[in-house]
């Protein structure tokens, strides 16, 4: 299964593509396929920023053909102005996925941290470090947006494999 | 000039198309071309709702070819959950308009009420009644979402004509 993880935002949106690989000699057998950040310029007009985001996100679906998209569930403790901007990015993700028949699943930040780092209040550094170990990377994924997006993807892989957490052998 | 006014929302989004008509014997010479509500079902999945909204809004641009879209400026006193949903609809309006080269202008609810009803704290009934008079309609526009959207369009017509308010002769 291939998962596209999305750490949503309009100025910066982290993405990470992961795939389970049961045949891997390195457990838990998760391959990182790609990771990066969709960036839009807050000085541009809103319509242009959303068009850029839309085009870039559709390209991710085209390039990586994920089986599912895992996105961070937004908690409404955030202030209304933040929710307004994040909502626009989240909305485009849901719309594009629906139009292409790709299911969208949501996980809270705490669920993701629990799955990849063993506890729901892990620091950003701990998440980055665990992603490096789980995906057997030479370096920690940077910036943290990418690590968070990869973690979302890995959280979903852990969830569908029946366990609630990924375990290093 | 033809203006598409938008009272944004994802469950209900009022729209109204107005056009100035200086040759009209009835002043201030504003014709109502169309009005209605885009409705999406809150029980549907988000991606489907946004696809419906997107398709319906693009159809409005196709059917009425507005010179400009006037949308209510969202104040961030609203709670985060409301802002999240409204933001998704507003984002699609901005994106679709940008992609078709239609400019978007924003007015606060108080600016709209001032332009059409003479004071910024007019009631919904007063706005509906003034829209009926200004556009010389047989009945008040209903539901109020439609009146609000028509009022947004008329507010923009008043603004570009140089006056801050529409005046009945």
């Amino acid at each position: 299964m291939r998962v596209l993880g999305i750490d949503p935002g309009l100025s910066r949106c982290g993405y990470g593509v992961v795939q389970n690989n049961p045949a891997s000699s390195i457990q838990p057998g998760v391959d990182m396929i790609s990771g990066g950040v969709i960036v839009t310029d807050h000085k541009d007009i809103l319509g242009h920023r959303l068009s850029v985001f839309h085009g870039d996100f559709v390209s991710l679906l085209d390039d990586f053909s994920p089986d599912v998209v895992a996105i961070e569930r937004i908690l409404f403790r955030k202030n209304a102005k933040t929710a307004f901007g994040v909502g626009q990015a989240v909305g485009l993700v849901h719309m594009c996925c629906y139009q292409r028949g790709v299911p969208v699943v949501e996980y809270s930040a705490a669920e993701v941290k629990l799955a990849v780092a063993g506890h729901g209040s892990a620091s950003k550094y701990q998440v980055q470090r665990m992603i490096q170990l789980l995906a057997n990377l030479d370096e920690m994924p940077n910036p943290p947006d990418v690590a968070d997006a990869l973690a979302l993807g890995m959280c979903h892989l852990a969830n569908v494999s029946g366990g609630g957490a990924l375990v290093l052998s």
Side-chain angles (χ1 to χ4, degrees), chain A residues 139-150:
Chain A
E139 298 181 355
M140 287 200 303
N142 248 321
D145 324 53
V146 176
D148 288 345
L150 291 167

Side-chain angles (χ1 to χ4, degrees), chain A residues 9 37 57 76 103 109 122-123 134 143 149 159 169:
Chain A
V37 182
F57 183 71
F76 294 108
S123 68
L134 290 164
N159 204 44
S169 58

Side-chain angles (χ1 to χ4, degrees), chain A residues 8 23 65 126 130:
Chain A
S65 301
Q126 287 173 311
M130 282 305 295

Side-chain angles (χ1 to χ4, degrees), chain A residues 25-72:
Chain A
S25 60
I26 301 159
Q27 288 306 312
V30 176
D31 290 340
M32 171 182 164
I33 310 294
S34 184
V37 182
I38 297 175
V39 177
T40 73
D41 187 345
H42 71 277
K43 295 192 292 294
D44 275 348
I45 66 167
L46 180 58
H48 182 234
R49 295 178 71 190
L50 292 165
S51 290
V52 168
F53 183 92
H54 181 265
D56 286 357
F57 183 71
V58 166
S59 294
L60 289 180
L61 295 180
D62 286 342
D63 292 348
F64 297 110
S65 301
D67 299 299
V68 57
V69 168
I71 191 166
E72 186 180 329

Side-chain angles (χ1 to χ4, degrees), chain A residues 15-18 32 34-35 131 137 141 146-155:
Chain A
Y15 68 86
V17 185
V18 293
M32 171 182 164
S34 184
I131 297 301
L137 305 174
V146 176
D148 288 345
L150 291 167
L152 275 151
M154 290 186 185
C155 174

